[in-house]
């Protein structure tokens, strides 16, 4: 079995610089925790969301910054990853940050292993997806409205078809009635008085 190539000092320093740049400049929240939920390392975005410096966050847990309910939920996700060794991928939830900002976030947590393959903690990445989520909500609302409009259109078509059928069915008998009234009005079937004639004329107009 081939041995792992040992990194020289320059290469190690170069890689550390890359990691440092990533941690410092990425807008996503990144953090490392041990098996007890203690934060071992956080990036600037994580600390900024708490209104603190990274050094003020390291060594503490989520219970030091978030409400008990929120911290319990985060701890439960941590426990799942640490116990099963399975990553938690892209969990989307609505959350209120300690600074009072209400947003939507997507969180991914993956286990960390020691040299012997034993889980020694986890790495977490949380991304603010508030804008994306608002767009998705608007799209869902648009789809719901379109479905309602489609249903109303179908209902309107049914109404028009019903009226058309009823009109067709009534046209013939109404024509017969109108013709009968006309015949009576015109004295074809016998004489009528003026009062009867007046009533028949009104009926003929309304038919």
């Amino acid at each position: 079995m081939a041995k792992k190539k040992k990194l020289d000092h320059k290469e190690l320093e170069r890689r550390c610089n890359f990691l440092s740049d990533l941690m410092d400049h990425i807008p996503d929240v990144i953090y490392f925790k041990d098996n007890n939920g203690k934060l071992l390392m956080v990036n600037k975005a994580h600390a900024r969301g708490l209104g603190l410096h990274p050094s003020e966050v390291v060594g503490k847990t989520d219970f030091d910054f978030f409400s008990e309910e929120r911290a319990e939920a985060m701890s439960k996700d941590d426990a799942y990853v640490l116990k099963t060794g399975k990553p938690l991928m892209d969990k989307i939830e609505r959350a209120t940050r300690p600074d009072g900002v209400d947003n939507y976030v997507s969180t991914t947590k993956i286990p960390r292993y020691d040299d012997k393959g034993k889980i020694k903690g986890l790495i977490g990445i949380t991304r603010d997806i508030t804008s994306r989520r608002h767009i998705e909500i608007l799209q869902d609302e648009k789809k719901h409205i379109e479905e309602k409009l489609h249903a109303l259109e179908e209902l309107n078509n049914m109404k028009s078809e019903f009226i058309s059928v009823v009109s067709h069915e009534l046209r013939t008998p109404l024509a017969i009635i109108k013709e009968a009234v006309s015949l009576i009005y015109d004295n074809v079937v016998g004489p009528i008085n003026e009062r009867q004639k007046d009533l028949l004329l009104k009926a003929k107009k309304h038919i």
Side-chain angles (χ1 to χ4, degrees), residues 69-136:
E69 182 182 0
R70 174 72 178 140
E72 284 285 359
M74 296 164 78
S75 179
K76 186 177 179 181
D77 290 340
D78 291 352
Y80 168 81
V81 174
L82 295 170
K83 184 177 180 180
T84 66
K86 297 178 181 179
L88 180 74
M89 303 296 293
D90 194 28
K91 180 181 179 180
I92 298 174
E93 54 191 336
R94 188 171 184 174
T96 302
R97 298 188 330 207
D99 59 7
V101 176
D102 194 22
N103 59 359
Y104 288 92
V105 295
S106 166
T107 299
T108 294
K109 296 181 180 181
I110 58 175
R112 289 180 65 225
Y113 297 90
D114 60 20
D115 294 337
K116 296 180 180 179
K118 186 178 179 181
I119 295 176
K120 63 176 180 179
L122 61 81
I123 304 169
I125 302 174
T126 298
R127 172 170 293 178
D128 189 323
I129 59 165
T130 304
S131 296
R132 188 185 92 187
R133 185 63 186 141
H134 284 166
I135 291 172
E136 290 173 349

Side-chain angles (χ1 to χ4, degrees), residues 159-175:
K159 181 194 74 174
S160 298
E161 185 178 350
F162 173 76
I163 291 173
S164 177
V165 171
V166 171
S167 298
H168 177 74
E169 293 297 325
L170 290 178
R171 188 175 291 114
T172 300
L174 284 174

Side-chain angles (χ1 to χ4, degrees), residues 1 8 13 22 33 39 50 56 63 66 68 74 87 92 103 107 127-128 130-132 134 142 177 182-183 197 199 207:
M1 184 177 177
D8 59 34
E13 184 179 7
L22 173 68
K33 291 181 180 178
L39 291 156
L50 299 172
E56 298 175 284
F63 288 91
F66 299 93
E68 186 174 351
M74 296 164 78
I92 298 174
N103 59 359
T107 299
R127 172 170 293 178
D128 189 323
T130 304
S131 296
R132 188 185 92 187
H134 284 166
K142 179 186 174 186
I177 294 171
S182 295
L183 290 174
K197 207 165 189 178
L199 289 172
I207 291 174

Side-chain angles (χ1 to χ4, degrees), residues 31-81:
Y31 50 89
F32 294 76
K33 291 181 180 178
D34 65 13
N35 285 329
N36 297 314
K38 185 168 67 175
L39 291 156
L40 304 175
M41 182 178 181
V42 302
N43 68 340
K44 289 183 178 179
H46 187 293
R48 189 165 51 247
L50 299 172
L52 301 170
H53 186 272
S55 61
E56 298 175 284
V57 181
V58 171
K60 297 181 180 179
T61 70
D62 293 326
F63 288 91
D64 294 308
F65 308 111
F66 299 93
S67 67
E68 186 174 351
E69 182 182 0
R70 174 72 178 140
E72 284 285 359
M74 296 164 78
S75 179
K76 186 177 179 181
D77 290 340
D78 291 352
Y80 168 81
V81 174

